[in-house]
Amino acid sequence: MIWCILIIGILLPQSSAHPGFFTSIGQMTDLIHTEKDLVTSLKDYIKAEEDKLEEIKKWAEKLDRLTSTATKDPEGFVGHPVNAFKLMKRLNTEWSELENLVLKDMSDGFISNLTIQRQYFPNDEDQVGAAKALLRLQDTYNLDTDTISKGNLPGVKHKSFLTAEDCFELGKVAYTEADYYHTELWMEQALRQLEEGEISTIDKVSVLDYLSYAVYQQGDLDKALLLTKKLLELDPEHQRANGNLKYFEYIMAKEKDANKSASGDQSDQKATPKKKGIAVDYLPERQKYEMLCRGEGIKMTPRRQKKLFCRYHDGNRNPKFILAPAKQEDEWDKPRIIRFHDIISDAEIEIVKDLAKPRLSRATVHDPETGKLTTAQYRVSKSAWLSGYEDPVVSRINMRIQDLTGLDVSTAEELQVANYGVGGQYEPHFDFARKDEPDAFRELGTGNRIATWLFYMSDVSAGGATVFPEVGASVWPKKGTAVFWYNLFASGEGDYSTRHAACPVLVGNKWVSNKWLHERGQEFRRPCTLSELE
């Protein structure tokens, strides 16, 4: 029982937990301008303080000259009636003015501005969300802590470094999530930078405290003991470390005795360490998904590649596209994924973004049980919905989708605009409702999602691909293009090969907009077939 008290009461370094939260690129660019405004205000305050000190300095120099002269011959000095008058005046009036000058608070303007801007500041949830995004990118793109800490990321314009304190904070975020694998990685990075001589507000003792416990939680008792002893060399009186040392030695002695008493093969058995690197929310397909995000594991064979073509598409002799047909490219064969090039202009993109920005909020997904929209941890982005009647550009875009796909957009959902900042993602999912989700779109009354149209409204410096883990396909963002695929076979059955994901944005900013087209209204535009999988 005493050892249970040790592990519960002493072993765990204390840290408070915060739920994850996401901040979009749009919000973060606003914060950049807010911070710039505060820096300007701070510089104004510094200038005001310098001017005040300069004035006080002039007072001091003047009074120093007067008192130096007066103290040489005090009686002779005050014997002069003018000097006597001025002495009375200085002490009665001028020193009061000087007192008021010294007490004058020059910070009012800066503090007032800071108070106003503080309402827009990120909170603990935002900071934790940003940290989780870094950890997510680390896993998806196989980045080591040193690479991230030194800012050696592909496509970066503004290189930035992580301090030992930054690494320590990342480790603490992982710790609060009981993610001891990442806790170990980032605490080791913090320790490495401290041992290289980096000056920091944190010390090795704090780092080793978290690191030893994280290592212990992963089953490496020998390393945990070694780190605890290293901690005690720096701080012999550390209460928790002393308790942990006794506990670790007790456990090791107990295991040693058990091994001695065991016979045969059992004598060689040891406690199996917990597997490292497996996230709490691990998906069976995560490995395939992350490989595709890195551009690995793509399953397109040369024979199939030869059957993919580029063409001009006139929307089945649509008058709008006869003289200026759309440029079409086959991205994949099964499921058939088509990319349309130069299909939305920069001017249209900016209008759509401007309409969406004021109403961006945490993106939602359809709850299969209730059929209602709700937020989900596996979708990390900001989104807004735009109706065709709001602006002629949105209406024109909707009609363009109808003309090129041949599908009726009157029963489609509104145009959804999404912004994925750094770390923003949408894990593998289906756009259509499966048979076990009969109520997914009941409120809409337009049937299932028959097809998806996805506009790419920005280029992405690194990451941000749309991947299809079931078939090994990766589609990379390219500004001004759009991709289209059917979610349902012509029979109305779901095409499970369309399961897809939006990979985390590693560097940059990803803007997309999508249109989900529904079954109702397509009866004569895409007639049913008798075969279930056609």
Side-chain angles (χ1 to χ4, degrees):
M1 186 66 183
I2 186 170
W3 297 113
C4 292
I5 293 171
L6 275 171
I7 190 169
I8 295 171
I10 299 175
L11 195 61
L12 282 68
Q14 296 301 306
S15 183
S16 57
H18 301 289
F21 193 81
F22 178 78
T23 304
S24 74
I25 284 286
Q27 287 175 313
M28 285 192 281
T29 54
D30 289 341
L31 288 177
I32 291 291
H33 295 299
T34 296
E35 190 171 39
K36 175 62 178 174
D37 181 58
L38 286 173
V39 170
T40 302
S41 182
L42 179 61
K43 290 170 76 174
D44 289 343
Y45 161 66
I46 293 170
K47 179 68 168 60
E49 288 284 11
E50 287 174 343
D51 290 344
K52 172 183 165 181
L53 287 171
E54 189 63 32
E55 194 172 345
I56 293 171
K57 186 178 177 182
K58 289 178 182 177
W59 270 89
E61 289 172 350
K62 182 182 76 170
L63 292 169
D64 183 49
R65 288 194 301 269
L66 280 168
T67 54
S68 295
T69 303
T71 53
K72 289 177 182 177
D73 182 12
E75 291 185 6
F77 187 82
V78 295
H80 194 297
V82 173
N83 287 341
F85 164 74
K86 293 186 73 172
L87 178 62
M88 297 300 106
K89 178 176 176 289
R90 277 200 308 276
L91 292 173
N92 183 56
T93 305
E94 294 181 11
W95 273 96
S96 294
E97 292 175 2
L98 179 58
E99 181 183 13
N100 291 335
L101 176 60
V102 172
L103 292 175
K104 186 177 180 181
D105 190 355
M106 311 304 292
S107 66
D108 285 351
F110 171 68
I111 295 299
S112 176
N113 190 18
L114 182 61
T115 302
I116 292 169
Q117 299 289 6
R118 194 183 297 279
Q119 62 183 312
Y120 306 112
F121 279 17
N123 55 25
D124 287 344
E125 289 178 328
D126 297 307
Q127 183 175 331
V128 169
K132 286 182 177 179
L134 265 180
L135 300 182
R136 190 158 54 241
L137 293 171
Q138 179 183 1
D139 287 346
T140 304
Y141 297 105
N142 270 350
L143 301 171
D144 59 66
T145 54
D146 194 58
T147 296
I148 298 174
S149 181
K150 291 179 179 177
N152 295 326
L153 303 177
V156 293
K157 294 180 181 178
H158 310 285
K159 195 170 182 179
S160 188
F161 302 87
L162 290 176
T163 64
E165 185 181 2
D166 295 330
C167 297
F168 180 70
E169 287 301 319
L170 284 169
K172 282 175 66 177
V173 169
Y175 176 85
T176 60
E177 298 293 311
D179 177 2
Y180 301 113
Y181 169 70
H182 286 105
T183 303
E184 179 185 356
L185 292 179
W186 284 103
M187 290 301 172
E188 283 184 338
Q189 181 64 31
L191 185 64
R192 197 155 46 241
Q193 290 180 204
L194 289 174
E195 289 177 341
E196 288 172 358
E198 183 179 317
I199 305 299
S200 177
T201 56
I202 62 163
D203 54 38
K204 294 179 185 178
V205 170
S206 300
V207 176
L208 286 165
D209 192 14
Y210 279 93
L211 180 55
S212 60
Y213 182 71
V215 169
Y216 161 75
Q217 279 293 332
Q218 295 177 92
D220 194 342
L221 196 57
D222 290 334
K223 186 176 179 181
L225 182 63
L226 186 68
L227 290 167
T228 303
K229 288 180 178 178
K230 189 174 181 180
L231 190 162
L232 288 170
E233 288 175 6
L234 299 171
D235 183 4
E237 303 302 318
H238 196 283
Q239 184 179 358
R240 184 164 46 245
N242 277 299
N244 289 351
L245 181 65
K246 292 176 183 178
Y247 176 73
F248 294 154
E249 288 175 341
Y250 167 78
I251 292 296
M252 292 183 78
K254 194 174 180 181
E255 286 182 356
K256 189 176 181 181
D257 290 342
N259 287 338
K260 283 182 179 179
S261 61
S263 59
D265 294 336
Q266 291 180 339
S267 62
D268 297 325
Q269 291 179 1
K270 293 183 180 180
T272 304
K274 297 180 182 179
K275 191 174 182 181
K276 295 186 180 184
I278 300 299
V280 175
D281 60 344
Y282 181 75
L283 293 172
E285 65 192 326
R286 183 177 294 279
Q287 187 176 3
K288 286 193 292 183
Y289 155 58
E290 293 181 347
M291 285 181 66
L292 290 169
C293 288
R294 298 191 295 268
E296 304 168 5
I298 297 173
K299 296 180 179 178
M300 179 56 67
T301 63
R303 177 177 290 183
R304 289 167 60 197
Q305 182 78 45
K306 290 178 182 178
K307 297 179 181 179
L308 303 181
F309 296 98
C310 294
R311 68 186 69 80
Y312 285 107
H313 179 64
D314 61 10
N316 295 322
R317 305 295 294 171
N318 187 294
K320 297 176 186 176
F321 294 100
I322 290 176
L323 293 179
K327 290 180 278 188
Q328 202 180 71
E329 178 187 1
D330 294 329
E331 283 280 354
W332 207 257
D333 51 357
K334 292 182 181 180
R336 192 179 183 210
I337 305 170
I338 299 170
R339 188 192 293 263
F340 291 86
H341 290 269
D342 302 320
I343 205 62
I344 184 171
S345 68
D346 289 351
E348 288 173 326
I349 287 172
E350 291 308 310
I351 290 171
V352 169
K353 286 165 64 176
D354 288 342
L355 289 169
K357 281 177 182 177
R359 61 182 90 168
L360 284 173
S361 60
R362 179 69 185 267
T364 55
V365 297
H366 271 281
D367 187 322
E369 295 183 4
T370 65
K372 296 180 179 180
L373 292 173
T374 182
T375 59
Q377 287 300 319
Y378 58 83
R379 187 176 192 188
V380 186
S381 65
K382 295 276 186 176
S383 69
W385 299 84
L386 303 180
S387 298
Y389 62 79
E390 293 184 57
D391 192 278
V393 168
V394 179
S395 178
R396 188 163 68 241
I397 287 171
N398 288 340
M399 288 310 300
R400 189 177 304 154
I401 295 171
Q402 178 169 303
D403 293 336
L404 289 171
T405 62
L407 299 175
D408 187 354
V409 296
S410 65
T411 58
E413 295 173 50
E414 294 178 342
L415 187 71
Q416 186 190 49
V417 182
N419 176 217
Y420 295 83
V422 173
Q425 64 169 4
Y426 192 174
E427 289 185 351
H429 62 282
F430 297 102
D431 281 351
F432 65 91
R434 273 76 67 212
K435 290 181 179 180
D436 58 348
E437 303 169 340
D439 297 330
F441 304 113
R442 178 172 290 181
E443 287 187 355
L444 299 177
T446 52
N448 211 342
R449 287 174 174 168
I450 192 173
T452 296
W453 178 285
L454 177 65
F455 283 112
Y456 293 113
M457 302 198 301
S458 67
D459 292 313
V460 181
S461 299
T466 305
V467 299
F468 296 74
E470 294 295 317
V471 296
S474 295
V475 180
W476 299 92
K478 183 180 179 183
K479 187 178 181 180
T481 69
V483 290
F484 172 78
W485 67 85
Y486 280 104
N487 298 304
L488 306 179
F489 292 110
S491 63
E493 292 294 320
D495 184 350
Y496 283 79
S497 68
T498 61
R499 184 170 172 83
H500 60 286
C503 295
V505 175
L506 177 57
V507 178
N509 179 19
K510 180 182 175 183
W511 283 91
V512 298
S513 58
N514 56 275
K515 195 78 172 173
W516 283 303
L517 300 108
H518 283 249
E519 290 178 292
R520 299 293 178 264
Q522 321 303 345
E523 291 83 358
F524 298 103
R525 293 172 179 263
R526 195 193 189 214
C528 289
T529 60
L530 296 177
S531 174
E532 184 177 338
L533 300 180
E534 286 185 4

